[in-house]
Amino acid sequence: MPTTGAPLRVQLLGPVRAWRNGVEVPLGPPKQRAVLSVLASRAGEVVGVDTLVNALWDRRVPQTAVNGVHTYVAGLRRALESGRSRRGANAVLVSVSGGYCLRMDPDQVDATLFSRHYAEARRTGGADDIETSLRLYEEALALWHGEAYSTIPGPFAELERTRLRDMRLTAVEEWATDMLAAGRHAETVTELTSAVAEEPLRERLCWLLILTLYRNGRQAHALRVYEDTRRLLRSELGIDPGVELRSLHQQMLCEHPGLRTHGTTTFAPLLNGAPRPQQLPALVRGFEGRAEELAYLQGVLEDESARSDHATPVAVVDGPAGVGKSAFVLRLAHRLRDRFPDGQLYVDLGGTAPGGRPMSAVDALRRLLGSLGVEAARIPDDTAACASLYRTVLHGRRMLVVLDDVHSAEQLRLLIPQGPCCVLATSRQSLGGLAARDGAHAMTIGPLADREAARLLVSLSGNRLAGESAATARLVTLCGGLPLALRIVADRLTANSGVPLDVLVGQYTAEHGLLDLLTVGDDPRASVRSAFEASYRALPPDAARMFRCLGLYGGQVTEQLAGKLARTDARTTRGLLRLLVDHHLLVAEGGCRYRFHHLIGVYAAECAERELPVGHRAAVPRFSGPGSAMARRHFMASADMVYC
């Protein structure tokens, strides 16, 4: 999108203001300025009306919201293009494809310019060009004129205030680190004192201020700042200072000669062996397919982790039970591990653990903090304080965090650190809100294609299937491409090497009892039925009832037919079907049609039969085998009631 020739400049790092040709423009009421701030943050890009609505209003969006956006845009056009006639074309704020575009140079937006200077400062940092780095940091910080998006309402402004504030404080920390390394500690006291007053719980800022005061010969003042910080952490969060601050305190008391050295400027130079956890589970034997998906996510996450905008890359992989999400994410994690030299964390959040409850976010945070070397006595009970400590401990560390079997978006959000980490997660639910609100990369993986499934089955079965293409194809079809089912079948084939192949394959013919064969001993994690059961038990009651109704029927359904089966109105039916699709218990096809994966359909039929009232079990029709389609049509035409 070309920019307008007339210069427009916008300030977001402070009160939102704008100048046209050097003259300040009156921007109108707060929500009108909020619209400008969103458009300016994405200068030259088309911003949809829905995006603007979501940026201005949180959960309670009024019915007049869209009209309100149009009104605010009209007001901005009058302000920014006061000389334009009513019939003249808009040159600055134009309507494009269901949205609006602010045509201006992005570098004339101070927030964009700050991010660019800051990224350049980080790239040029180091002993070889420290003066250039310091100049760029100072140019970036000089752009601030108060709190970002000051007095601007709406969730977008709130998120940007927090993000930009964290970037500014990190820039101050990195600038101060370079200043200390250059021996210019006398010039850093004022800026660090101001930053600590703004964020007194930020331990790295306090560490830098204390070290700066000490190097300026103000030991008593440095010790007082430490004591003030210790008391504040205790009163606000119920914790003691971290090992970095405690180590610095001890070295000041001992007058350690290293504190006077210009090079001692990193936050954790004096740690007694900061833990570098290596918690990734081993890769499973036999992995087929997914090459394109792996390459795509690896490329995206490597690109994002190389950028310096402090947005933590997050990827969430979802799919049905038994499809191989954990194996996929672990393979991706092993590919990425070298880019995160500070270690790898792994937690199974138990979102659908058989017979158990999902791990709470605070319990997950405690486990993560323990893995990072935080003493149990320092971990607060409050969830928010625990999350704050987690982000503090990981601040500035390049660490890979793998979170398996996520229960919900809210559970995951608390576990996403800021900065140069990377988060990989799996879930049996579609967590689209994380992509929309948090910028996560969401990917759904489905069953393997027949060729890939056959390769996996043959590779895991030793020589049992060598040259047996017909038997292999039959077993692949039976398993429906689910890696868990394929692995269980392969285990059964190798464990029964003395049984003829045709006998073993023949045992999988009938649907009745099929899931009994797709299990290994009493291990619930090696059971297709247990995997499906966990997903089913996570459903709300009305969705579980719809699942049973569809299992009773057994074939492809439309929304209308599903509503007839469950006796629900059209709106309720549509919502329940969508919920089953989001939980990957139902597959949506074109034309508002839905179907089960073959094995999930078998399990749904089991649920329908098992959970019927005793007196109705004999009345349950079984729609399988020859003539099943005709039987279903006859049942739907004649049934007076639905047994589900």
Side-chain angles (χ1 to χ4, degrees):
M1 179 70 65
T3 59
T4 179
L8 174 66
R9 183 165 63 89
V10 177
Q11 173 181 293
L12 301 178
L13 303 179
V16 173
R17 303 168 67 186
W19 294 263
R20 184 79 190 273
N21 296 318
V23 178
E24 186 166 4
V25 176
L27 296 177
K31 274 194 165 57
Q32 188 163 296
R33 286 183 286 125
V35 171
L36 177 68
S37 68
V38 177
L39 295 170
S41 71
R42 296 173 57 178
E45 301 178 19
V46 177
V47 181
V49 172
D50 288 346
T51 300
L52 291 169
V53 168
N54 292 332
L56 268 62
W57 289 277
D58 198 354
R59 296 177 182 175
R60 298 180 180 178
V61 179
Q63 294 182 348
T64 58
V66 172
N67 289 336
V69 167
H70 295 321
T71 299
Y72 296 137
V73 168
L76 288 172
R77 282 172 169 165
R78 288 192 296 271
L80 297 174
E81 303 179 77
S82 57
R84 181 180 62 86
S85 67
R86 294 185 62 184
R87 295 182 178 275
N90 298 300
V92 177
L93 212 174
V94 299
S95 301
V96 184
S97 305
Y100 297 100
C101 175
L102 188 63
R103 300 171 64 190
M104 64 175 295
D105 182 358
D107 280 347
Q108 292 300 310
V109 180
D110 59 354
T112 303
L113 194 59
F114 166 74
S115 296
R116 185 163 66 79
H117 283 333
Y118 173 53
E120 290 174 357
R122 300 193 87 199
R123 281 194 295 270
T124 58
D128 293 338
D129 200 4
I130 198 167
E131 291 303 323
T132 300
S133 175
L134 286 169
R135 176 180 57 78
L136 289 167
Y137 276 123
E138 288 160 3
E139 288 177 1
L141 293 168
L143 294 167
W144 285 76
H145 298 88
E147 182 183 53
Y149 292 79
S150 178
T151 72
I152 298 299
F156 173 82
E158 185 62 34
L159 287 171
E160 284 296 281
R161 263 193 293 274
T162 301
R163 183 183 72 85
L164 289 166
R165 180 171 178 268
D166 184 71
M167 281 184 66
R168 178 175 61 81
L169 290 173
T170 303
V172 170
E173 291 168 347
E174 293 170 359
W175 166 81
T177 298
D178 282 355
M179 290 287 283
L180 287 169
R184 296 170 59 182
H185 39 267
E187 303 171 56
T188 65
V189 174
T190 301
E191 185 69 33
L192 283 174
T193 301
S194 176
V196 168
E198 179 183 349
E199 187 55 83
L201 296 176
R202 195 168 173 120
E203 292 191 43
R204 188 186 185 199
L205 273 177
C206 297
W207 187 93
L208 286 162
L209 176 59
I210 292 168
L211 180 59
T212 299
L213 290 169
Y214 186 86
R215 287 189 178 175
N216 277 293
R218 299 166 63 179
Q219 182 177 2
H221 191 180
L223 291 170
R224 187 166 70 248
V225 171
Y226 172 82
E227 187 59 29
D228 290 344
T229 302
R230 188 192 65 79
R231 281 198 299 265
L232 188 63
L233 287 168
R234 171 61 66 178
S235 62
E236 293 288 329
L237 301 179
I239 62 174
D240 290 322
V243 64
E244 299 89 351
L245 275 174
R246 297 202 309 271
S247 176
L248 177 61
H249 179 238
Q250 288 297 318
Q251 293 204 3
M252 287 192 299
L253 293 176
C254 298
E255 298 186 357
H256 193 290
L259 294 184
R260 301 290 183 185
T261 304
H262 296 340
T264 309
T265 55
T266 55
F267 183 41
L270 310 171
L271 287 177
N272 296 322
R276 295 176 182 268
Q278 307 288 324
Q279 297 182 347
L280 292 183
L283 296 176
V284 297
R285 181 174 68 91
F287 185 89
E288 293 291 341
R290 322 289 195 200
E292 291 184 7
E293 295 93 333
L294 278 170
Y296 170 76
L297 278 184
Q298 181 180 355
V300 166
L301 296 172
E302 286 179 344
D303 287 347
E304 287 198 8
S305 65
R307 295 209 306 259
S308 303
D309 59 2
H310 279 258
T312 301
V314 179
V316 183
V317 177
D318 61 75
V323 82
K325 301 177 294 295
S326 298
F328 175 89
V329 161
L330 287 176
R331 195 152 295 259
L332 177 61
H334 279 271
R335 288 188 179 191
L336 294 170
R337 64 187 303 171
D338 290 343
R339 288 187 170 264
F340 299 93
D342 292 324
Q344 307 94 39
L345 295 164
Y346 174 87
V347 179
D348 184 346
L349 296 173
T352 53
R357 289 186 176 182
M359 184 184 293
S360 68
V362 71
D363 285 343
L365 286 165
R366 289 192 185 106
R367 181 172 297 185
L368 289 164
L369 286 167
S371 299
L372 291 165
V374 179
E375 304 97 321
R378 287 196 66 221
I379 301 176
D381 295 328
D382 178 67
T383 302
C386 213
S388 177
L389 179 60
Y390 169 65
R391 290 192 294 269
T392 298
V393 172
L394 281 182
H395 180 80
R397 300 176 72 176
R398 296 188 61 81
M399 193 166 287
L400 187 62
V401 183
V402 179
L403 303 170
D404 208 1
D405 200 11
V406 174
H407 175 65
S408 66
E410 289 307 316
Q411 181 194 41
L412 179 56
R413 282 191 178 103
L414 286 170
L415 307 179
I416 299 175
Q418 292 182 336
C421 292
C422 177
V423 176
L424 307 179
T426 71
S427 178
R428 292 193 192 178
Q429 299 181 43
S430 174
L431 304 179
L434 284 165
R437 176 179 158 182
D438 304 277
H441 299 280
M443 175 176 285
T444 299
I445 61 174
L448 294 173
D450 286 351
R451 181 177 298 180
E452 296 164 343
R455 285 203 302 266
L456 178 62
L457 184 60
V458 170
S459 69
L460 294 174
S461 302
N463 60 357
R464 289 305 309 269
L465 292 173
E468 298 287 350
S469 57
T472 301
R474 188 173 177 183
L475 291 172
V476 163
T477 300
L478 172 106
C479 294
L482 281 186
L484 176 60
L486 292 162
R487 289 178 179 278
I488 293 171
V489 169
D491 177 78
R492 188 176 178 85
L493 291 175
T494 55
N496 294 275
S497 57
V499 180
L501 181 62
D502 59 340
V503 173
L504 288 174
V505 174
Q507 293 175 354
Y508 292 98
T509 301
E511 288 186 358
H512 187 70
L514 174 59
L515 297 184
D516 292 331
L517 298 173
L518 294 176
T519 186
V520 177
D522 58 355
D523 183 356
R525 291 186 176 273
S527 166
V528 170
R529 179 185 283 113
S530 295
F532 294 161
E533 182 85 8
S535 295
Y536 170 64
R537 294 301 176 194
L539 292 173
D542 52 352
R545 179 178 178 275
M546 174 63 81
F547 181 75
R548 295 192 298 273
C549 291
L550 300 180
L552 177 68
Y553 180 63
Q556 186 186 67
V557 297
T558 61
E559 289 182 1
Q560 183 180 9
L561 181 52
K564 185 175 181 181
L565 280 164
R567 295 196 173 179
T568 50
D569 60 55
R571 182 176 180 181
T572 301
T573 299
R574 193 175 301 114
L576 293 176
L577 292 173
R578 185 67 254 171
L579 188 62
L580 291 175
V581 170
D582 287 344
H583 279 71
H584 295 292
L585 289 169
L586 196 64
V587 179
E589 298 188 321
C592 296
R593 294 179 179 274
Y594 301 84
R595 65 170 177 83
F596 283 125
H597 178 278
H598 167 59
L599 293 179
I600 295 179
V602 173
Y603 174 73
E606 282 189 6
C607 291
E609 184 171 358
R610 181 182 67 214
E611 299 184 32
L612 286 178
V614 174
H616 291 159
R617 289 184 182 176
V620 177
R622 299 192 62 81
F623 297 129
S624 61
S628 59
M630 183 177 294
R632 290 190 192 98
R633 288 194 295 270
H634 175 73
F635 171 72
M636 287 311 302
S638 61
D640 293 327
M641 60 188 302
V642 176
Y643 303 108
C644 51

